[in-house]
Amino acid sequence: MGNLSSLFEQNQEWADNIKEQQPDFFEESAKGQSPNYLWIGCSDSRVPPTQLAELAPGDLFVHRNIANVISHSDINSQSVLQYAVSVLKVKHVVICGHYGCGGVKAAYENQNLGLIDNWLANIRDVYRDYKNKIENHSSEEEKLNQFCELNVLAQVRNTCHSPFVQQAWAAGQDLSIHGLIYDLQTGLLNDLDICVTSAKEASDL
Ligand SMILES: [Zn+2]
């Protein structure tokens, strides 16, 4: 039987440290949230959004799934997007992929993995759309890196075309959709120079 004692101990230490620096932090935090960012990232344990951007609890509204996919038929990610954009009125939606993504690699290798194949079909669609661009590279590593970047682009596009984002722009809401990629080898975020701030820009993407 395993136990979670180390998790509880570390949690106590974490809460004590925060209270030492800011005694009313948790009291204030319990009153409500108004984050500026919605972060859509991969479930990969090596890409923890709050830590890698040195942010505090309350700064990021987060949705993570395998390979940071935003699918119009996925009620989970669409609900997060609606709540973040329409209710919390975040100013930025960040789609963050990462190099070395196991979900993207599995989609590329086209293996038979069971239930997850249904999810990976979303990423295989991206491959079909960009096959020439991906296969244009010579090494497998370069192909996968390019695929990871293009998956971010495709998910930014899906986000921009979600009805909630389109409605927010139509209402004049200040909202930008960004595409970033995290490098596991360096611990750094790379800007993919994707920043969409209006329905018009989205239609040109
Ligand atoms: Zn991943």
Side-chain angles (χ1 to χ4, degrees), residues 85 90-93 156-157 159-161 164-179 193-205:
V85 170
V90 296
K91 296 207 166 14
H92 304 275
V93 178
V156 167
R157 191 177 284 141
T159 304
C160 290
H161 292 292
F164 321 116
V165 171
Q166 291 280 322
Q167 282 159 20
W169 279 330
Q173 196 174 318
D174 179 12
L175 178 65
S176 308
I177 319 297
H178 309 263
D193 286 325
I194 305 167
C195 174
V196 188
T197 62
S198 68
K200 185 181 178 314
E201 285 176 18
S203 65
D204 296 338
L205 194 64

Side-chain angles (χ1 to χ4, degrees), residues 41-47 65-68 96-104 148 184:
C42 183
S43 299
D44 193 302
S45 61
R46 298 165 296 176
V47 195
N65 61 37
I66 292 172
N68 41 273
C96 183
H98 67 102
Y99 296 123
C101 182
V104 170
C148 288
L184 294 170

